[in-house]
Amino acid sequence: MKKLGFNIVLLGMIASGKETQANILKKKYALKFVESGVYTRKLLKEKSKIGDWARRTAGVGKPLPTILLQRFLVREISNKPKNKDLLFLGTPRLKPEAQLLKKILNERKENFIALYITLPDKEIYKRSIKRSTGNMKAIYKIFDTKKLIGVRIKWHKDQVGKTVKYFKSLNKLKIINGNQSVPKVTKDILKVVEEYKELS
């Protein structure tokens, strides 16, 4: 697999299939995942002051403190392999993190494209409840209760919405319709990535 020559930021609504699409992209292109979710779950299990901080925030459905995610981004970008591009999965979600990401990549003279997978509220509830009751990751059983889903949707629209607008202002954002079959979502994403590759 060859490098694309640019990094990918893959954002999306709750239960929009980000991980599924990220894994498909990883099989096609030389990409290293930068997953804030994996980092957050690690902190939630950590017996330390930072772990306690994570449990008081991310552990109750709130976002992880920005300073912790900023440290994470700096470390991951600094450790980027020479033979791969980065795929930021579900991060940066907050505007200050997005601004930091752009600043670091600019300093390294690296390019990126941001993809945002949309999904209607009704479908979010449907998919979230389904994955919380099925044979899915334990984290979903904690976060995908009906009450928390509503809280997360509101927070996502308020906060991630600002990040989406920021990337749009940079002319870096492409919207992907997530309310369709997995193969169709994949087709739309690959079309955008290949078009951006031709322009880069």
Side-chain angles (χ1 to χ4, degrees):
M1 290 184 288
K2 290 185 178 179
K3 286 177 65 178
L4 282 166
F6 56 90
N7 304 293
I8 298 174
V9 174
L10 183 57
L11 299 172
M13 245 302 173
I14 301 154
S16 59
K18 296 182 292 292
E19 285 189 30
T20 298
Q21 296 302 328
N23 284 317
I24 291 170
L25 286 171
K26 195 177 182 182
K27 288 176 182 176
K28 187 171 177 64
Y29 305 112
L31 296 165
K32 183 199 172 197
F33 280 9
V34 177
E35 295 182 78
S36 60
V38 171
Y39 174 63
T40 300
R41 290 193 284 275
K42 179 175 172 285
L43 290 183
L44 288 172
K45 294 177 183 176
E46 196 175 284
K47 292 180 180 178
S48 65
K49 287 184 178 179
I50 290 177
D52 290 339
W53 195 8
R55 283 184 285 277
R56 290 195 304 270
T57 53
V60 292
K62 296 177 183 177
L64 197 69
T66 298
I67 190 166
L68 296 183
L69 271 173
Q70 287 179 337
R71 287 178 193 169
F72 169 69
L73 285 174
V74 169
R75 186 187 73 207
E76 291 297 311
I77 295 170
S78 298
N79 293 333
K80 176 183 176 178
K82 289 183 179 180
N83 62 337
K84 291 184 179 182
D85 296 300
L86 298 176
L87 191 156
F88 298 89
L89 178 52
T91 192
R93 293 194 298 168
L94 298 177
K95 187 178 176 182
E97 295 157 17
Q99 291 171 322
L100 175 70
L101 175 71
K102 179 180 178 289
K103 181 174 179 286
I104 298 170
L105 292 178
N106 278 354
E107 287 171 355
R108 293 169 61 95
K109 294 181 171 56
E110 292 192 35
N111 197 3
F112 74 96
I113 184 173
L115 309 174
Y116 183 78
I117 306 174
T118 61
L119 200 65
D121 289 4
K122 187 177 178 181
E123 188 65 17
I124 293 169
Y125 276 100
K126 182 180 171 184
R127 292 188 188 183
S128 297
I129 296 298
K130 185 178 179 181
R131 72 182 183 180
S132 69
T133 54
N135 186 26
M136 296 293 281
K137 292 178 181 176
I139 197 78
Y140 295 142
K141 297 183 187 298
I142 298 170
F143 289 144
D144 287 350
T145 61
K146 203 157 191 177
K147 183 180 177 182
L148 268 183
I149 293 165
V151 171
R152 293 174 68 209
I153 289 173
K154 184 181 185 304
W155 182 86
H156 191 99
K157 288 180 177 177
D158 290 345
Q159 299 301 322
V160 183
K162 294 175 185 176
T163 305
V164 170
K165 285 179 183 176
Y166 172 67
F167 283 137
K168 190 176 181 180
S169 73
L170 298 175
N171 201 27
K172 291 285 187 183
L173 184 78
K174 295 293 181 181
I175 300 292
I176 306 293
N177 175 17
N179 197 22
Q180 51 183 344
S181 68
V182 171
K184 285 184 178 178
V185 175
T186 302
K187 185 180 178 183
D188 289 351
I189 288 175
L190 292 178
K191 183 173 182 286
V192 168
V193 170
E194 287 297 325
E195 285 176 353
Y196 197 76
K197 188 179 176 183
E198 287 178 15
L199 294 171
S200 297

